[in-house]
Amino acid sequence: MAYIIGIILIIIALIIAGLILRKRIYDEVDRLEAWKMDIMNRNIASEISRIKNLNLSGETQEKFESWRERWELIVTKELPDIEEYLFDSEAAADRYRFSKAKKMLRKTEEVLQSIEDEIEKMLAELNELMESEESSRKEIEQIQPTIKALRKQLSQNRYQYGNAEEYYDSEIDGMEKQLTQYNELVGSGNYSDARHLVEELKQDLDNLQTQMEDFPALYTACKNDLPQQLNELLNGLKGMKDDGYRVEHFGFEKEIHKYQHRLKDCVSALDQGEEELAKEMKNEIEERMAEMYQLLEKEAVARNYMENKIPVYREELETLENDFLITKEEVDELQKAYYFEDSDMEKYLVLDKAIGQLKKQLHMINDEMEQEMETSHSKLRSELENGFQQVEELQKQHDDFRKQIKNLRKDEVTAKEKLADMKDDLYQINRRLSKSNIPGVPGFIWTLMEDASNKNVRVLDVLDKQPLDITEVQKALSDAESSVNQVAEQTDMVLDQAYLTEQVIQYANRYRSQYPVLSAKLSESERLFRSYEYELALEQAAKAVEEVEPGALKRIEEYQAAN
């Protein structure tokens, strides 16, 4: 029983699946049928008939016949064939031959898509042709009056175009021939060729308009203005030469003559309608003339500068030379009393040589200005400006050198004053030691004082030398100063140690009766004190009192410092 039910269910499932697949086939047939009817209902023939508004001949006739025949083939053959395919697909679906039905539907869709592509291509070509015709017609309507205007402009202003009038006449004639050719192409239905011709004609017309607008000014510049300007520049050069300006080295005359000949070639080129060469030459000449005027102006300014500044430069150089002569006399005198370092003498000799070279340079500049040599004023100005800078720099170096030699005497006076101060310092130290209540002065203090005294004598000996070597004086002075400072430091230390030792012993005496060991150490400290061994005496006394009363030494030191 279950087996039978299973079979029944399978059969029912197959029937349902078949119905679903057949329904899908029917739906696809309906879709393709609607697509086919949409194509049939389109007014393609009416669209194609729009071309009849044009001249049906030549290329246009060929396209019209091609599109019409193709549309008739679609309507009479291909679309009816599609109807048969759709009918066969439904029949196959009714017999549950779904694979065959799907294959036929795919083929039908491919045919319909091919028809759609062809229709789209036909309409695109049609629209392009119609738009091309309309666009060309409108542009021709604008081109015709423009050509007439150019003809009128040339006729009314022939004097502005000179011999180039024939060239422009010929160009305009050519454009009018192109208009005639355009009408012939349109009349024969060749609208594509007509379109290309219009685009070419429009470009040529734009170029011709630009040329005719630029030509009068360019022609006038090359034929009249620039030759006149070159003549004026040439006359100006001659005038400057007559006035003494040095302009030969520029070579402008030869260059101007070359430009004059080239301008004649430019005019000949313009007569043939060749403007590019003339434009380039015009710009080149204008730029070069501007450069020439700048150089000539620079030369004129340089000459004026030289005439005004040479006296100023001569005066500054003479002032420097006179100041240096005074310095030279001072150096000759000082060399008798002072020793000059090699570096100082080198600076002196460099100054002397540099001033001499500037004098030679000034003499050369004067000769070139007076004898009208070939050297340009611009170059001479550069040399003179450099000379001003050198004079300024040498003046600074001279001032520094003078300060340096003046310091020789100042250093000698300072050294003598310092030597007197150090002698007084030693006297005060000796007096301080004599007035102190210490038992005596340690021997090393007397040795240091003797050494300091000897070094002071050494300073005095160096100061008495002729010529005086300040460097040697300063070294001897530094050595003596170090020795005097050492005597002062050691003396202060000895006196401080002696006074502190007395204070410590006096403070520790309060414990002498109680601590025998302390008493013995204090006695040793007193012995050392009387033997001038103040450092050892302080060490012995401090150690003794610290053992009895820690911190006592610090309090004693603070008390001594406060008093």
Side-chain angles (χ1 to χ4, degrees):
M1 186 66 179
Y3 177 75
I4 295 172
I5 294 172
I7 292 174
I8 293 171
L9 291 175
I10 291 172
I11 293 171
I12 293 172
L14 290 174
I15 292 171
I16 293 172
L19 292 173
I20 293 173
L21 290 174
R22 189 163 61 181
K23 177 67 167 57
R24 290 180 179 174
I25 295 295
Y26 291 162
D27 290 343
E28 184 66 12
V29 169
D30 291 341
R31 185 181 70 82
L32 295 176
E33 176 68 22
W35 188 356
K36 184 204 72 168
M37 294 304 296
D38 177 66
I39 293 175
M40 289 185 66
N41 292 330
R42 293 179 196 172
N43 198 5
I44 302 300
S46 175
E47 288 291 325
I48 295 174
S49 65
R50 288 165 52 203
I51 201 172
K52 292 181 179 181
N53 294 326
L54 306 179
N55 292 323
L56 282 177
S57 58
E59 177 189 13
T60 308
Q61 180 69 31
E62 291 174 5
K63 288 186 176 182
F64 174 72
E65 295 295 340
S66 173
W67 295 336
R68 186 179 64 179
E69 288 174 4
R70 183 69 187 108
W71 175 244
E72 287 178 355
L73 179 62
I74 290 171
V75 173
T76 60
K77 179 70 172 64
E78 294 181 1
L79 291 180
D81 288 346
I82 288 173
E83 184 68 30
E84 291 296 328
Y85 289 147
L86 294 176
F87 180 78
D88 291 342
S89 297
E90 285 184 335
D94 290 340
R95 299 187 192 96
Y96 293 97
R97 298 174 66 181
F98 299 119
S99 177
K100 181 179 179 181
K102 288 181 179 179
K103 183 177 180 180
M104 296 179 70
L105 289 174
R106 281 197 297 272
K107 183 177 180 181
T108 302
E109 184 169 11
E110 290 174 359
V111 173
L112 284 170
Q113 185 60 52
S114 176
I115 291 172
E116 281 284 6
D117 293 341
E118 290 190 26
I119 292 173
E120 184 177 349
K121 181 180 179 182
M122 282 192 298
L123 294 178
E125 290 178 354
L126 174 63
N127 290 331
E128 182 181 357
L129 180 61
M130 299 299 292
E131 290 173 1
S132 174
E133 186 278 333
E134 182 181 6
S135 175
S136 298
R137 179 164 36 81
K138 289 181 178 179
E139 289 183 358
I140 285 294
E141 290 173 356
Q142 295 176 353
I143 289 173
Q144 286 177 331
T146 304
I147 293 176
K148 290 181 180 179
L150 288 180
R151 176 78 74 183
K152 183 178 179 181
Q153 176 183 340
L154 184 63
S155 175
Q156 293 178 348
N157 302 282
R158 292 186 181 279
Y159 67 93
Q160 293 183 352
Y161 294 92
N163 294 332
E165 175 196 351
E166 295 181 5
Y167 166 78
Y168 289 116
D169 259 334
S170 175
E171 289 293 307
I172 295 173
D173 289 343
M175 290 183 181
E176 289 178 342
K177 289 179 181 179
Q178 286 179 298
L179 286 177
T180 302
Q181 186 180 356
Y182 166 79
N183 292 326
E184 291 174 353
L185 290 172
V186 170
S188 61
N190 294 321
Y191 289 98
S192 296
D193 292 341
R195 179 60 190 167
H196 294 315
L197 180 63
V198 170
E199 291 175 352
E200 181 181 344
L201 179 58
K202 184 180 178 181
Q203 181 64 43
D204 292 343
L205 182 60
D206 288 341
N207 292 337
L208 186 61
Q209 276 185 295
T210 302
Q211 287 181 353
M212 291 184 66
E213 288 174 0
D214 296 342
F215 185 90
L218 186 59
Y219 187 75
T220 300
C222 293
K223 187 173 180 64
N224 300 319
D225 296 346
L226 290 178
Q228 182 179 350
Q229 291 173 17
L230 288 173
N231 286 333
E232 291 175 355
L233 179 57
L234 194 60
N235 292 332
L237 274 171
K238 293 177 180 178
M240 290 185 72
K241 287 170 62 176
D242 293 341
D243 291 339
Y245 290 96
R246 299 174 183 179
V247 294
E248 295 88 348
H249 65 283
F250 290 127
F252 287 163
E253 290 186 4
K254 183 178 180 180
E255 194 172 355
I256 290 171
H257 289 314
K258 181 186 71 173
Y259 282 135
Q260 288 174 331
H261 287 296
R262 291 180 66 183
L263 280 174
K264 293 179 181 178
D265 296 336
C266 286
V267 173
S268 299
L270 285 172
D271 288 339
Q272 303 301 318
E274 299 175 6
E275 294 187 10
E276 289 304 317
L277 174 64
K279 286 181 179 179
E280 292 176 4
M281 179 54 57
K282 173 180 176 291
N283 293 335
E284 179 184 341
I285 293 176
E286 288 176 344
E287 290 176 3
R288 184 55 182 153
M289 280 198 299
E291 292 174 358
M292 290 179 180
Y293 276 115
Q294 287 180 352
L295 291 171
L296 293 174
E297 182 181 1
K298 182 179 178 182
E299 181 65 19
V301 172
R303 176 182 172 180
N304 183 65
Y305 177 88
M306 294 297 295
E307 291 174 350
N308 292 326
K309 292 295 183 179
I310 283 181
V312 178
Y313 179 67
R314 184 184 295 109
E315 182 179 349
E316 289 188 7
L317 187 57
E318 287 176 354
T319 300
L320 175 62
E321 184 182 15
N322 293 334
D323 291 344
F324 187 73
L325 287 175
I326 297 173
T327 301
K328 202 170 186 180
E329 294 174 0
E330 291 180 2
V331 169
D332 292 340
E333 186 67 27
L334 288 171
Q335 280 182 317
K336 299 176 183 177
Y338 296 94
Y339 171 77
F340 277 76
E341 295 286 341
D342 291 342
S343 59
D344 294 333
M345 287 305 297
E346 184 179 355
K347 293 177 184 178
Y348 170 74
L349 295 174
V350 167
L351 279 169
D352 192 13
K353 183 178 179 181
I355 293 172
Q357 289 176 341
L358 289 181
K359 287 177 63 180
K360 290 180 181 178
Q361 182 194 44
L362 177 60
H363 181 70
M364 179 195 70
I365 291 174
N366 280 326
D367 288 345
E368 290 182 339
M369 287 291 293
E370 293 173 0
Q371 298 176 14
E372 298 185 1
M373 297 182 178
E374 292 297 321
T375 307
S376 68
H377 290 104
S378 299
K379 183 177 180 181
L380 293 177
R381 173 176 179 166
S382 178
E383 294 179 3
L384 191 62
E385 288 175 338
N386 185 53
F388 272 114
Q389 293 178 356
Q390 291 186 56
V391 167
E392 183 180 359
E393 181 62 29
L394 290 175
Q395 188 66 57
K396 291 179 182 177
Q397 294 177 14
H398 178 244
D399 292 341
D400 293 340
F401 181 76
R402 292 195 67 177
K403 290 177 183 177
Q404 196 168 345
I405 61 175
K406 285 181 180 179
N407 286 336
L408 291 173
R409 291 172 176 172
K410 183 179 179 181
D411 290 343
E412 180 186 8
V413 173
T414 301
K416 289 180 178 179
E417 291 175 351
K418 206 163 197 178
L419 179 61
D421 291 340
M422 289 190 295
K423 287 181 178 179
D424 185 64
D425 290 342
L426 288 177
Y427 172 76
Q428 294 298 332
I429 292 171
N430 192 15
R431 184 179 178 189
R432 185 180 172 195
L433 287 171
S434 300
K435 287 186 175 182
S436 66
N437 294 324
I438 60 175
V441 179
F444 75 90
I445 293 294
W446 297 123
T447 300
L448 289 175
M449 290 186 69
E450 184 178 1
D451 182 62
S453 297
N454 291 336
K455 287 183 177 180
N456 281 346
V457 172
R458 165 66 181 160
V459 174
L460 190 58
D461 292 342
V462 173
L463 285 170
D464 289 339
K465 282 185 178 180
Q466 293 292 332
L468 181 64
D469 187 342
I470 290 298
T471 302
E472 186 180 4
V473 170
Q474 290 175 341
K475 185 177 182 305
L477 193 65
S478 177
D479 292 342
E481 186 176 13
S482 297
S483 295
V484 172
N485 290 337
Q486 187 178 14
V487 172
E489 290 172 3
Q490 292 298 319
T491 299
D492 289 341
M493 185 179 68
V494 166
L495 292 177
D496 289 343
Q497 289 173 348
Y499 295 149
L500 185 57
T501 301
E502 289 179 337
Q503 294 293 324
V504 172
I505 292 173
Q506 291 176 7
Y507 185 86
N509 281 337
R510 68 182 69 178
Y511 298 111
R512 233 173 183 169
S513 59
Q514 300 176 26
Y515 300 98
V517 176
L518 172 88
S519 178
K521 289 182 178 182
L522 290 178
S523 296
E524 176 61 18
S525 176
E526 289 172 346
R527 186 190 68 78
L528 290 170
F529 185 81
R530 288 191 296 273
S531 300
Y532 319 148
E533 299 288 344
Y534 301 115
E535 185 176 1
L536 293 176
L538 176 61
E539 182 180 345
Q540 187 74 12
K543 184 177 180 182
V545 76
E546 282 292 318
E547 289 176 354
V548 176
E549 184 183 340
L553 180 61
K554 184 177 181 181
R555 288 191 291 274
I556 295 170
E557 288 176 340
E558 291 175 351
Y559 175 80
Q560 182 175 336
N563 292 279

